[in-house]
Each structure stands twice: as C-alpha cells, then as structure tokens.
Amino acid sequence: MRGCALAFARSIPGGGPVGTDMGLSLARSSVFACVPPFSGQVHDIALDELFEYHVSLFRHALEEALGAEAPGPARHVRAYVRAVCVSAMAMGPNERAAVASLMCAPEYRVIWSDFIDEVCSGDAVDPATQMACRYAAEGLWLDHALERVSGPDHVADVQQRLLTLTNA
C-alpha cells in the first residue's frame, strides 16, 4: 500500500493533494504467479504493485494533460480524456496485458473510479457529460489494451469527439 498511497497523494497542479482523504486501501496484496495467459514481465508481479506502478504512470500523463489544458468547466475531465488516450497509445504488449488484467479486476476498478471521481470533482460540467466521457475513454483504453482498436487514428477520432462533448 505504501507505493499506492504515494501515487494517489501527490498533488495535481492547481489543486490540492488527490486521494489523501479517500481512505484508499488495496483489498489484497497477494502475488499471482501467473496473471491470465499473458507473456512477459507481467508474470510473477504482485497485482497491487502493478496497479501502483500504472497509477503512477497515469498520474504523470494526467499532470501533463492538466498543465496543457485551459481553465474551464470541464478542465479535469478533458485532461482525463487526453491522458487516457495518450496512455492507451503508449502501451506496449506488456502494458496492454497488465492494464487489461487490472481494469477487469473489480477491486481495482472501484479504487480507480474513486480516484477519478475525486480528480474530476472540481469540474462544473454536468455529471452526465462527465460520466459519458469518462466511460467512453475507459472503454477505449480497455479496447486498446485488448488490441481491439484499429490504431492511432481511431483513438484520436474518439478523443476529439469526447472533447467536443465537453464544449457543449
């Protein structure tokens, strides 16, 4: 949990620490000798540590996206959509396998959802638009992790459509 707590407790530019008051905890810390049949570095890694690592990578992408995003009522959800798309495109085979495993594990989905709820909580965009953008971006991320998305043009097109929704 120590790494996860650090990953969540770092501040986001223009705001306070994210995740520090949420009581985040990981429900398990067991090591899986084999994460479903994927090859590479995913084997023999504790899922908790894998989750912490990917949260840390994502936080970096999110902080960069927030730094580039203009102030506005949907600033955080727009940065989230951009960060998800950048992260999806940056995944290699091992990262895709790890993200697919983590995004399909209910306990990590709950932690992730709570984290992103807090990240986007300061936005004034209507909740339905925010959730539609978040769910679509996460679905795109998972499809890319499962290698069901055709490539960068598809990701860019979906990203642009989601960003357009936040301008309405």
Side-chain angles (χ1 to χ4, degrees), residues 81-82 85-86 88-89 133 136-137 140 144 149-166:
V81 167
R82 291 181 197 279
C85 292
V86 165
M89 294 311 303
C133 290
L140 177 69
H144 194 72
V149 173
S150 60
D153 291 339
H154 179 76
V155 172
D157 184 46
V158 171
Q159 174 182 316
Q160 190 54 46
R161 288 172 189 259
L162 293 175
L163 294 175
T164 300
L165 283 176
T166 65

Side-chain angles (χ1 to χ4, degrees), residues 8 18 22 55 58-59 111-119:
F8 281 110
V18 174
M22 293 172 45
V55 166
F58 184 80
R59 284 194 56 80
I111 295 167
W112 182 260
S113 183
D114 289 348
F115 169 56
I116 301 306
D117 284 349
E118 186 172 329
V119 167

Side-chain angles (χ1 to χ4, degrees), residues 131-147:
M131 295 311 289
C133 290
R134 284 179 52 187
Y135 291 158
E138 289 174 10
L140 177 69
W141 201 7
L142 181 58
D143 273 358
H144 194 72
L146 296 172
E147 299 185 55

Side-chain angles (χ1 to χ4, degrees), residues 65-119:
L66 274 170
E69 192 65 49
R75 179 175 181 249
H76 291 89
V77 74
R78 290 175 59 84
Y80 178 70
V81 167
R82 291 181 197 279
V84 165
C85 292
V86 165
S87 296
M89 294 311 303
M91 287 189 289
N94 291 332
E95 291 85 7
R96 283 194 298 273
V99 167
S101 293
L102 294 169
M103 289 186 78
C104 293
E107 60 271 32
Y108 297 116
R109 294 287 308 140
V110 168
I111 295 167
W112 182 260
S113 183
D114 289 348
F115 169 56
I116 301 306
D117 284 349
E118 186 172 329
V119 167

